[in-house]
Amino acid sequence: MLKKLFQSFRSPLRRAQHPRSTPEVLGSNQHSLRRTGISRNAVIVVDRLQKAGYQAYLVGGCVRDLLLDLRPKDFDVATNATPEQVRAEFRNARVIGRRFKLAHVQFGREIIEVATFRANHPQGEEEEDNNQAARNESGRILRDNVYGSLEDDAQRRDFTINALYYDPTTERILDYAHGVHDIRNRLVRLIGIPEQRYQEDPVRMLRAARFAAKLGFEIEKHSAAPIRQLAPLLRDIPSARLFDEVLKLFLSGKAERTFDLLVQYDLFAPLFPASAAALERDPEYTGRLIRQALINTDERIHQGKPVTPAFLFAALLWPALPARAALLQERGMPPIPAMQEAAHGLIMEQVQRTAIPKRFSIPIREIWDMQERLPRRQGKRADMLLENPRFRAGYDFLLLRESAGEETDGLGEWWTDYQDASDSQRRAMIRELSSKDEQPSGQRRKRGGSRRRRGPRSEGAPGGASGD
């Protein structure tokens, strides 16, 4: 009796919503999707599940992207079959996940992700089964394996544009949340109460920015309103998950626009606190360096060239590094050890927010270390640096710094010339450096006209995400 009494006094905000239980059905003559344009393996999964007596649909981003004439990066299926039932139907399936259990059906290199319809997460502690659902104190969902109906699944999805279900058998689209309307109006809109949905999973704020950047959409005003206030909730998200999210944000081909949105909605600081502080101290230089790195990264992705997170993180974090290294030098530490010590501290701090794996954090430090070594060219040092496996990434990073306005006394041009020079020309360039060092600063001869900088190798990118 007491339980029913407390339930009757639930917040009116919760009862104010009336989920749509009947979808808008779009027939094949009302949309451009066709079975022939969809992954054959995804169609096989849907067909077999339907023949086994289950409901099954293509859902989410693949439907959205096809409606926008974009090529989906993968195909997801939603069904009322449990993960174990999916595995029973497909010998090539395996069940994964704890927080959110689902099945992966593998066809060679292609994986079709199959998720069971979920219901809205329980709201009260007395309703929750800890084996299926759990929240923390702030309302963030820790475990979400409460299965439900197709209608439940549509209402618990994050954005209206991702709540579209396509049946390749009948070629119909089921639209429970006016997602097609929002696609036509180029809006990213949350389903449900924005504050509550962000508290359930703060990463939805990053997803809103990512979809807006990727698709060229705007975040709908009610969905955008709480983001700045709730952005600090991202600090409670596991750092490994945030690292994955950062890769999605900046390696989607729309990194520059994504960065602008992250700054606009105060989402950059929870991800990169030291860099955000540098951006506030020196917005012109920091913004120019980061933006140029992201522009070049976007260009490489559009050209189909390889990129690496190491160079990307090196650029995102660099603006916070020189001041730390300079402080250590003021305390008497030599330049290279000061750079190494500052780099170690900065990366250790950043790993607390985004768990950068060692396969990336080590190259980051090596790229930064090259910035102190590249000015030291006398004797045999220049040739030794050329043979260093990190030279190319370090050289590309030097050009990035110069493009952002850093004064390096023509260092980038010198290294460009040195790489193209013959052995005799290289020796002359080294002798010229020695003679400059011996002259009073006012008598030093300026170098001649600017020469074209060396173009990137197939795996490198000046100012972009250089190949590892």
Side-chain angles (χ1 to χ4, degrees):
M1 290 293 293
L2 285 174
K3 180 178 179 180
K4 291 182 179 179
L5 179 63
F6 284 126
Q7 287 177 336
S8 68
F9 285 104
R10 287 281 168 79
S11 166
L13 192 60
R14 290 182 58 215
R15 290 185 279 110
Q17 284 201 315
H18 301 285
R20 181 177 182 175
S21 59
T22 304
E24 179 182 0
V25 179
L26 285 75
S28 59
N29 62 336
Q30 297 174 282
H31 63 79
S32 59
L33 273 67
R34 292 297 177 267
R35 180 184 174 116
T36 54
I38 295 168
S39 162
R40 177 175 174 270
N41 295 323
V43 174
I44 288 173
V45 171
V46 172
D47 283 349
R48 190 182 298 182
L49 287 172
Q50 289 181 349
K51 288 175 181 176
Y54 300 109
Q55 293 175 287
Y57 301 87
L58 291 168
V59 67
C62 62
V63 181
R64 176 200 70 219
D65 289 349
L66 288 169
L67 287 173
L68 289 166
D69 292 325
L70 301 174
R71 183 177 181 179
K73 63 180 179 64
D74 50 35
F75 290 85
D76 296 337
V77 172
T79 179
N80 60 345
T82 66
E84 291 75 18
Q85 288 171 330
V86 174
R87 184 173 56 186
E89 291 295 327
F90 297 90
R91 294 178 60 185
N92 54 330
R94 62 190 181 99
V95 177
I96 68 165
R98 294 181 60 188
R99 177 181 177 271
F100 192 93
K101 285 178 65 176
L102 42 80
H104 276 178
V105 185
Q106 190 157 0
F107 299 86
R109 293 186 176 182
E110 184 178 20
I111 294 176
I112 306 301
E113 189 170 278
V114 184
T116 305
F117 296 151
R118 256 65 173 185
N120 278 317
H121 203 275
Q123 295 294 315
E125 287 186 13
E126 72 279 7
E127 294 180 57
E128 296 194 6
D129 177 350
N130 289 331
N131 291 323
Q132 294 181 316
R135 295 174 186 263
N136 69 3
E137 296 80 0
S138 66
R140 178 164 64 89
I141 293 176
L142 303 176
R143 194 157 48 252
D144 187 9
N145 291 303
V146 181
Y147 301 141
S149 65
L150 170 58
E151 291 77 10
D152 293 331
D153 192 73
Q155 292 304 320
R156 63 157 296 283
R157 289 187 173 268
D158 49 7
F159 302 103
T160 61
I161 58 176
N162 292 339
L164 299 170
Y165 298 77
Y166 176 67
D167 183 350
T169 302
T170 62
E171 296 193 332
R172 297 186 309 165
I173 292 177
L174 306 184
D175 181 359
Y176 284 89
H178 303 293
V180 172
H181 172 273
D182 285 337
I183 287 175
R184 289 170 180 163
N185 288 278
R186 309 187 75 79
L187 290 174
V188 176
R189 185 195 308 269
L190 270 171
I191 297 173
I193 303 168
E195 292 87 346
Q196 179 181 318
R197 301 311 305 276
Y198 291 140
Q199 288 169 349
E200 289 174 352
D201 186 0
V203 169
R204 286 175 177 145
M205 293 182 282
L206 299 180
R207 286 168 58 81
R210 175 159 61 89
F211 289 139
K214 173 186 174 180
L215 304 173
F217 285 17
E218 296 294 328
I219 304 176
E220 183 269 333
K221 63 179 182 179
H222 295 100
S223 300
I227 292 179
R228 291 186 184 88
Q229 178 185 351
L230 298 179
L233 292 177
L234 287 169
R235 296 169 185 162
D236 298 328
I237 300 297
S239 59
R241 188 180 178 203
L242 285 185
F243 174 76
D244 291 338
E245 290 299 326
V246 167
L247 296 188
K248 294 176 184 177
L249 286 166
F250 292 122
L251 298 181
S252 65
K254 300 289 184 180
E256 184 191 13
R257 171 62 175 154
T258 299
F259 172 70
D260 289 336
L261 288 172
L262 293 179
V263 172
Q264 177 183 345
Y265 289 107
D266 294 341
L267 295 169
F268 186 66
L271 299 176
F272 296 93
S275 302
L279 183 63
E280 188 172 347
R281 286 193 305 270
D282 190 351
E284 184 176 354
Y285 164 73
T286 301
R288 192 161 54 224
L289 184 141
I290 290 177
R291 189 167 280 105
Q292 187 60 52
L294 298 178
I295 289 171
N296 292 343
T297 299
D298 287 342
E299 289 178 356
R300 290 185 64 80
I301 290 173
H302 295 153
Q303 293 167 5
K305 295 180 179 179
V307 295
T308 174
F311 197 99
L312 179 63
F313 273 86
L316 289 167
L317 294 172
W318 172 262
L321 184 62
R324 296 185 180 209
L327 183 60
L328 292 174
Q329 289 186 52
E330 290 173 6
R331 297 173 182 172
M333 189 176 290
I336 291 180
M339 175 66 77
Q340 293 171 340
E341 180 68 22
H344 175 75
L346 179 57
I347 289 179
M348 288 302 99
E349 289 177 17
Q350 184 59 37
V351 165
Q352 303 303 311
R353 295 298 177 90
T354 57
I356 307 171
K358 283 189 176 180
R359 68 181 185 275
F360 299 132
S361 64
I362 292 174
I364 291 171
R365 294 185 61 177
E366 292 172 340
I367 290 169
W368 290 343
D369 186 57
M370 289 295 294
Q371 306 312 299
E372 279 294 334
R373 296 185 184 277
L374 286 172
R376 303 168 187 274
R377 299 156 283 171
Q378 290 79 2
K380 296 182 179 180
R381 289 176 178 173
D383 289 333
M384 292 174 64
L385 284 172
L386 275 179
E387 296 173 0
N388 189 304
R390 290 294 172 203
F391 169 79
R392 187 64 192 195
Y395 166 74
D396 289 344
F397 200 83
L398 171 63
L399 299 188
L400 171 64
R401 291 167 52 208
E402 291 182 340
S403 72
E406 278 196 48
E407 292 293 336
T408 66
D409 195 22
L411 187 60
E413 180 188 343
W414 190 94
W415 276 110
T416 300
D417 293 345
Y418 195 78
Q419 293 173 77
D420 291 332
S422 65
D423 287 342
S424 60
Q425 289 172 327
R426 288 180 178 181
R427 301 288 73 78
M429 292 175 70
I430 297 299
R431 287 195 298 271
E432 184 180 1
L433 282 178
S434 300
S435 64
K436 277 187 176 182
D437 292 340
E438 294 171 359
Q439 293 176 8
S441 59
Q443 298 177 13
R444 290 181 183 170
R445 182 166 51 88
K446 293 185 177 180
R447 289 181 57 81
S450 174
R451 293 177 59 180
R452 181 179 60 85
R453 284 180 174 171
R454 189 178 181 87
R457 299 183 306 184
S458 61
E459 73 274 22
S466 179
D468 194 12

